[in-house]
Amino acid sequence: MSSSSRPPSSHSGLAVEPLHGIAGSPGVAIATALVLEPGQGRIPRRTILKEEVPLELERYVDAVEDAKSQIAEVHTRVAAKLPAEHLKILEAYQAMLADPSLASAVQEEIEARFRNAEWAVELAVQMIVREFDQLDDAYLRERRHDVEFVGDRLQRALAANAPRSIGALRLTEPGQTRVRRPTPPLGVHVAQPTIVVAHDLSPADTAAMIREPIVGFVTEVGTRTSHTAIMARALEIPAVVGVTGALAAVRTGDTVIVDGLRGEVHIRPSTDMAARARARGDRHFSRTQLLRKRLREPSTLADGTRVSLKANVELPTEALLGVEHGAEGIGLYRTEFLYIDRKEPPSEDEQFELYRTIAQMMSPRAVTLRTFDLGGDKRAPTIELPEEANPALGLRAIRLALREPNLFMAQLRAMVRASAYGELRVMLPMVSSVAELREGRSLLDRAFAEVAAAGHEHGQLPLGMMIEVPAAAVCADLFAREAAFFSVGTNDLVQYALAIDRSSQQLASLASPFDPAILRLIANVVRASREAGISASICGAMASDPLAALLLVGMGIRELSMEAAAIAEIKEAMRRMTLEECEALAAEVMTLSTAAEVELCVAEAFAPRLSDLLGGEDLTAPPPRVSSRPPTDS
Ligand code: PEP
Ligand code: MG
């Protein structure tokens, strides 16, 4: 972990103007800030127990071997193409890795000072760099960069832990030298309730932080549909994302208010301001508690029409939360989170145990397991991905799974085995062609055969797909012939249909799921699913916006899946409208031409009756947007 090194003394201590961002996760938190600067804090530093010493030493030895073999590989590949003197630098790196003085410095840090391997390498490298800095010879002084390079290779190898796992999962084609390795998750360790302020937090960062008493997040980038916000909502931690200038304005140690209701961040607030924010947070909390009292009541519109509300789950612990929040099942289990905060991919047996536990815990409710959606911004330390200009348009989700059949098969077999213990469904992410769906089908069939051959039991496992690529929405009729069900991922559908990066806060206001293009795509999916007699649900963030949820119901959707914490609010919104009203609104918005017109129309129709849920503000001016929801309290 690392915090801002700038001294708090440069501040006057006076309250400053609030910073504005996007309300990423509701609630209000007041605590001390920990500012994480980009590029810092990536090295997990940990004091280890005496018993862990042999393991950390072994990790270091493994990392050296891994780094050496990677450099040797590069050497072999470029040997024929480069003159001998250029190859010398690679040989020098090999020699540095084998240098006994580096090894003994690392060993001493681990054995005598009980530092973990990453920390020990960092300190040993710093020590050697200092020695180089003192040399008179300018050429030799410059060699410090080579030492740093070697240190970096070791850190990366440590992040991936063991050469065995890297070897098994290597995705690099022969001859391809550039690979995209994930940055190791931030190693944040805090003792007090803390608000983390960062430029960006990867899903792995956020997942790693749940073990710490983090009570709020502020990030400079991100939107309501970026994964930091999704994760924060799942964990019910207030967050404001897309806050330009947060790092420059906040210092570690400042008291900060994260107002995830209004999308505001107050730095060094006055006592009055803090009291008002606290009161706002308390009101939000009481209202939420009140709504949750009615959670056991069925989820119906005012006229009795049933709408099934399910939970989206990222981490195993959230499944129980889903039940507590009245979810009728898990509509989206994002299994990729099993891969991202760890050094080894989960084995088939480990996944089987987990899926079985979840199936049993949720039984008789259904659980939809989405196969890993890795790639894009969700990277796993053990999986190397090629360097791509646009990872969101690259080797992600089902594309990656089909390129890595061993990894994929292990997951599918685990799901098949777990199907003996509850009602499970499997769902493929980011499908863009029927050919991909068919390939997924044939691998699933193979998984069934292998599970049976191994003597394991299994049940039914319908195969469905996410509709989150416009191609799939347009061709929904073709997919509906072969998929058991659809689930529309509006976060990505908006990103790909409107060509707006879902993490771009500059364009967040344009990335509206109320855009006529998105509504038409969804309408097409509803039509195709009805004709084929299969279900179509919505599992993107659009489902947890009360106004959008009602519109979706009017369009024919009868199943919504969202962060568990939002279920109570959506259930309440449903109780206040009839199907007739929702359908009339849906018919009207289909005649409109812009997202703003649709938003205004929806707000005029429904916002007055949902004002307590939406904040009691006049939502007709300016129109509300799902991507940056209006304040929910005053
Ligand atoms: C989506 O794209 O809407 C979705 C639910 O999947 P994810 O947010 O995990 O990409
Ligand atoms: Mg998606």
Side-chain angles (χ1 to χ4, degrees), residues 26-28 236 261 277-293 632-633:
V28 177
E236 298 186 57
L261 301 166
R278 216 167 263 126
R280 235 180 1 257
D282 289 350
R283 278 200 298 278
H284 168 77
F285 181 75
S286 323
R287 197 177 51 229
T288 313
Q289 294 310 103
L290 207 68
L291 288 177
R292 288 182 187 169
K293 288 216 168 95
T632 53
D633 210 340

Side-chain angles (χ1 to χ4, degrees), residues 468-523:
E468 50 187 349
V469 178
V474 168
C475 297
D477 57 328
L478 304 179
F479 286 99
R481 293 181 199 155
E482 304 187 30
F485 61 91
F486 289 153
S487 188
V488 183
T490 49
N491 305 337
D492 277 314
L493 190 62
V494 169
Q495 157 163 274
Y496 296 127
L498 302 183
I500 296 174
D501 184 332
R502 67 191 265 186
S503 63
S504 163
Q505 78 270 27
Q506 279 96 343
L507 299 178
S509 61
L510 298 179
S512 171
F514 290 107
D515 193 286
I518 304 300
L519 300 182
R520 276 164 169 67
L521 289 172
I522 295 175

Side-chain angles (χ1 to χ4, degrees), residues 22-159:
I22 295 167
S25 175
V28 177
I30 308 180
T32 310
L34 171 68
V35 180
L36 302 172
E37 307 226 16
Q40 292 188 354
R42 296 283 165 182
I43 295 171
R45 298 186 197 117
R46 198 166 61 82
T47 304
I48 56 172
L49 300 173
K50 204 166 165 212
E51 305 83 81
E52 291 178 274
V53 166
L55 182 70
E56 289 305 291
L57 288 172
E58 195 190 317
R59 288 186 63 231
Y60 172 68
V61 172
D62 281 354
V64 170
E65 284 315 307
D66 181 30
K68 272 194 198 163
S69 62
Q70 285 180 20
I71 292 173
E73 210 178 279
V74 175
H75 191 287
T76 316
R77 219 178 290 138
V78 298
K81 300 176 198 150
L82 289 181
E85 66 267 26
H86 288 157
L87 295 175
K88 287 223 160 42
I89 185 68
L90 293 175
E91 285 150 20
Y93 290 153
Q94 296 280 35
M96 276 181 212
L97 282 164
D99 188 345
S101 65
L102 174 65
S104 64
V106 171
Q107 194 174 343
E108 185 175 347
E109 291 297 338
I110 295 175
E111 282 179 340
R113 302 201 181 84
F114 300 107
R115 320 259 204 223
N116 64 337
E118 286 90 341
W119 196 1
V121 166
E122 183 191 25
L123 293 171
V125 166
Q126 280 170 0
M127 187 193 77
I128 299 172
V129 163
R130 274 198 302 275
E131 284 169 9
F132 272 87
D133 279 344
Q134 281 155 14
L135 297 174
D136 289 336
D137 184 317
Y139 173 80
L140 286 177
R141 263 203 317 276
E142 274 310 287
R143 298 300 96 212
R144 75 193 297 273
H145 298 303
D146 298 333
V147 180
E148 283 166 345
F149 175 85
V150 166
D152 183 56
R153 298 313 303 177
L154 284 172
Q155 292 295 356
R156 283 163 182 262
L158 282 168

Side-chain angles (χ1 to χ4, degrees), residues 227 332 334 370 378 396 468 489-492 502 539-540:
H227 287 100
L332 168 64
R334 291 180 163 104
R370 177 173 77 181
K378 288 182 279 194
R396 182 187 158 186
E468 50 187 349
T490 49
N491 305 337
D492 277 314
R502 67 191 265 186
C539 64

Side-chain angles (χ1 to χ4, degrees), residues 76 82 176-177 221 270 312 334 396 423 514 535 595:
T76 316
L82 289 181
Q176 189 177 8
T177 54
V221 299
S270 64
N312 289 353
R334 291 180 163 104
R396 182 187 158 186
E423 204 193 321
F514 290 107
S535 68

